[in-house]
Amino acid sequence: MTRAEAPVRTDSFRPVLGAAVVLFLALLAIAALKSYRDLASARAHQHMLERQIQQTVARSEWLRLRIERLHHDPGMLERLAREDLGMVRPNDVVIELPDGAVAPAASRAPKAVTAGLISPPAGFVGPPAPPASPSPAASVPVSVPVPGLVPVSGPPRPPG
């Protein structure tokens, strides 16, 4: 007896298995791409936070040095009392110019230069500049304990 050949199956499992493997690999590639993007975003956020920490530490050190100078440098206190509050020594001569008069070139220099203060660290972005016009609170007299200085008669000059 001869053995009959087995019939050929038309419902093979191979195409289904191949499609499942391709689908699995596609999902794996999509997940890997999303993970890579999330990791890159997290690294960029980390670098931004590290820069902010460095700027905050630099600003903190700058403020600590300024506080130290305010506590121990009487010349700085006198300079600030003269410039910001308009105070003078009893034997100083005060010349008040009318509004709109041109000030000498030395007094037109930027305040940070004339005050001789420590400048903030490079790249530091600080608080916004104060408004150009004086606020109503700027005309309130303030008492600063600087030995030998007395207020000028009349309201204090606006800062700047």
Side-chain angles (χ1 to χ4, degrees):
M1 290 187 123
T2 62
R3 204 164 140 186
E5 290 186 26
V8 178
R9 293 182 67 179
T10 58
D11 58 346
S12 176
F13 186 64
R14 284 186 182 173
V16 173
L17 181 63
V21 168
V22 168
L23 180 64
F24 176 74
L25 290 176
L27 290 175
L28 190 64
I30 290 170
L33 182 62
K34 182 180 180 329
S35 296
Y36 177 76
R37 286 183 180 169
D38 290 346
L39 181 62
S41 173
R43 284 183 178 158
H45 186 68
Q46 177 187 6
H47 290 300
M48 183 209 40
L49 290 175
E50 286 172 353
R51 275 194 311 273
Q52 284 182 350
I53 288 170
Q54 289 173 352
Q55 288 176 348
T56 303
V57 167
R59 172 75 174 160
S60 175
E61 180 65 19
W62 178 75
L63 289 172
R64 187 191 64 72
L65 289 173
R66 179 129 192 250
I67 290 170
E68 188 71 24
R69 286 193 64 194
L70 286 171
H71 282 296
H72 300 293
D73 187 1
M76 182 177 177
L77 285 178
E78 180 177 345
R79 191 170 33 253
L80 289 174
R82 286 176 177 269
E83 290 176 1
D84 294 343
L85 302 175
M87 299 182 90
V88 295
R89 292 202 177 270
N91 55 355
D92 284 349
V93 176
V94 177
I95 301 173
E96 292 189 28
L97 300 174
D99 289 342
V102 178
S107 66
R108 284 184 280 161
K111 188 172 185 176
V113 173
T114 59
L117 304 177
I118 300 171
S119 61
F124 171 73
V125 178
S133 63
S135 65
S139 63
V140 176
V142 178
S143 174
V144 176
V146 178
L149 290 180
V150 295
V152 176
S153 60
R157 295 177 299 168

